[in-house]
């Protein structure tokens, strides 16, 4: 969660001090105080809170499938190829 930079700048100019981050308890204490003293500024401040985008479950599943396929292919290339080389009948070194 973060605060829109433009809203932060406007509110800080009006208040004359720096704002705490929206994930800090002092931010919500300030918001409650502003609701009583200046409801318009409080509404602006509340509207400026931006939540991080949550990935849809389909995207998470797609990413996990892709990761597992990569690991499976890597495993096969490393270990199965090694077994093929170990059982190879042609050995130029010996």
């Amino acid at each position: 969660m973060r605060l829109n930079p433009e809203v932060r700048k406007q509110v800080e100019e009006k208040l004359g001090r720096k704002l705490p981050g929206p994930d800090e308890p002092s931010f919500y204490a300030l918001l409650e105080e502003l609701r009583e003293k200046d409801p318009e500024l409080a509404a602006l401040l509340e509207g400026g809170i931006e939540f991080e985008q949550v990935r849809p479950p389909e995207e998470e599943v797609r990413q996990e499938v892709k990761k597992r396929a990569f690991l499976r292919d890597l495993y096969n290339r490393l270990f199965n190829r090694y077994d093929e080389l170990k059982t190879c009948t042609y050995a130029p070194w010996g």
Side-chain angles (χ1 to χ4, degrees):
M1 181 166 52
R2 69 183 198 101
L3 192 59
N4 185 323
E6 292 296 319
V7 172
R8 177 183 289 275
K9 184 176 156 186
Q10 290 175 4
V11 174
E12 284 178 349
E13 285 176 2
K14 273 194 161 180
L15 292 177
R17 61 180 170 153
K18 299 223 23 121
L19 287 175
D23 52 348
E24 297 176 23
S26 56
F27 178 82
Y28 293 101
L30 174 66
L31 191 57
E32 287 297 323
E33 179 184 322
L34 286 176
R35 283 185 183 142
E36 294 173 8
K37 293 181 180 177
D38 191 356
E40 291 178 9
L41 190 59
L44 176 68
L45 190 57
E46 271 186 296
I49 297 174
E50 297 174 349
F51 295 94
E52 295 177 21
Q53 292 289 344
V54 177
R55 293 190 323 187
E58 296 84 15
E59 168 104 17
E60 290 183 18
V61 168
R62 189 177 311 115
Q63 190 69 25
E64 186 66 25
V65 167
K66 187 176 178 181
K67 182 175 85 173
R68 288 183 184 198
F70 170 76
L71 291 174
R72 184 191 63 234
D73 291 344
L74 182 63
Y75 173 83
N76 285 335
R77 276 189 277 145
L78 289 174
F79 294 107
N80 291 344
R81 182 71 179 140
Y82 178 75
D83 288 344
E84 287 175 15
L85 291 174
K86 207 166 56 172
T87 59
C88 181
T89 56
Y90 172 72
W93 56 83

